[in-house]
Amino acid sequence: MGNLFGRKKQSRVTEQDKAILQLKQQRDKLKQYQKRITQQLEREREIARQLLRDGRKERAKLLLKKKRYREQLLDKTENQITSLETMVQSIEFTQIEMKVIEGLKIGNECLNKMHQVMSIEEVERILDETQEAVDYQRQIDELLAGSFTQEDEDAILEELDAITQEQMELPEVPSEPLPEKIPALQALLGPAQDQLSSIRHWDDLPRGIA
């Protein structure tokens, strides 16, 4: 039970992911530093103006030298940020390339397995058999098409016309239902049916007649 619940899940974070995270953190810190330096430069420039108004030229000059140094640091910071971003992009693109290569590898293995199941010789054999079947069927069609003479064609057309004529001469089937008993026929057969019924009730007649 301890092994079951104490087993650690395998982390999906790779070394490349950790490297990208660290580079982005360093980049963000440099951007914060860059923002702070920019704000300091604006304040120092304003202080230098105030010193000049107060007649403290040397003090203002010293402050401008300090400001110039900070500007150089700001340029270096910008270059470092650019380098970090380039490195992050390179690693991310390399990860994409690795996934592409992995996909190509899997696809290549799949193709190799498929080629093992069906070799070139097998494909050629199937294509040859298919072509042979097509040729054979075409030969049959050609034989059937060429086996009838003009006399046969005329006989076929004559029989077709005869069947068509028979269908035209057949009486139409009445759409209304026929009556169960025809009145005239029932009138003629009525007395005979009554006599036959009375004979069936005679006990002295033979069984065969009944």
Side-chain angles (χ1 to χ4, degrees):
M1 296 294 291
N3 293 333
L4 180 62
F5 292 100
R7 183 181 302 173
K8 295 182 179 179
K9 293 183 179 180
Q10 186 177 1
S11 177
R12 296 183 179 180
V13 179
T14 63
E15 295 297 328
Q16 291 82 5
D17 294 333
K18 293 179 181 179
I20 291 174
L21 179 61
Q22 291 178 358
L23 290 172
K24 288 183 176 180
Q25 289 175 346
Q26 294 176 4
R27 178 201 61 189
D28 294 339
K29 289 180 180 180
L30 286 175
K31 286 185 175 181
Q32 293 176 358
Y33 174 77
Q34 187 181 42
K35 183 179 180 180
R36 186 169 64 253
I37 292 297
T38 302
Q39 293 174 352
Q40 290 178 356
L41 291 176
E42 293 176 356
R43 288 198 301 268
E44 289 175 353
R45 184 178 179 82
E46 187 64 29
I47 292 173
R49 289 178 180 176
Q50 184 64 37
L51 290 174
L52 288 174
R53 285 195 293 268
D54 295 341
R56 303 172 63 182
K57 185 176 180 180
E58 293 297 327
R59 181 67 177 173
K61 183 178 179 181
L62 181 62
L63 186 61
L64 290 176
K65 287 182 178 181
K66 183 179 180 181
K67 176 178 173 296
R68 180 60 181 172
Y69 175 73
R70 291 183 184 275
E71 290 176 347
Q72 293 176 354
L73 291 178
L74 194 61
D75 293 337
K76 292 181 180 179
T77 303
E78 183 65 30
N79 293 333
Q80 290 176 352
I81 292 174
T82 302
S83 299
L84 289 173
E85 290 179 344
T86 302
M87 181 64 68
V88 170
Q89 293 174 0
S90 299
I91 296 175
E92 289 177 342
F93 185 73
T94 303
Q95 284 182 317
I96 295 175
E97 287 182 331
M98 290 175 63
K99 291 181 180 179
V100 172
I101 294 174
E102 184 179 357
L104 292 175
K105 180 181 178 181
I106 295 174
N108 189 29
E109 292 176 354
C110 181
L111 286 176
N112 290 332
K113 291 180 180 179
M114 294 174 65
H115 292 161
Q116 292 176 1
V117 174
M118 182 171 291
S119 61
I120 296 178
E121 292 79 8
E122 183 71 12
V123 175
E124 290 178 349
R125 183 185 65 79
I126 294 174
L127 291 177
D128 292 339
E129 291 179 355
T130 303
Q131 186 62 39
E132 290 176 0
V134 172
D135 295 339
Y136 182 73
Q137 184 62 39
R138 185 171 60 250
Q139 292 176 3
I140 293 176
D141 295 339
E142 292 175 354
L143 290 174
L144 291 176
S147 62
F148 296 110
T149 62
Q150 186 61 40
E151 184 179 357
D152 295 328
E153 294 289 344
D154 295 338
I156 292 172
L157 292 176
E158 184 178 353
E159 184 177 2
L160 181 63
D161 293 338
I163 295 174
T164 304
Q165 188 66 26
E166 290 176 0
Q167 292 180 349
M168 294 176 61
E169 293 177 355
L170 289 176
E172 296 183 357
V173 178
S175 58
E176 298 180 358
L178 295 175
E180 297 182 357
K181 294 182 180 179
I182 301 176
L185 181 60
Q186 185 177 6
L188 292 175
L189 296 179
Q193 288 180 349
D194 295 338
Q195 292 178 2
L196 181 60
S197 299
S198 62
I199 292 173
R200 290 181 182 275
H201 291 287
W202 290 355
D203 295 335
D204 55 345
L205 286 178
R207 297 178 61 86
I209 297 178

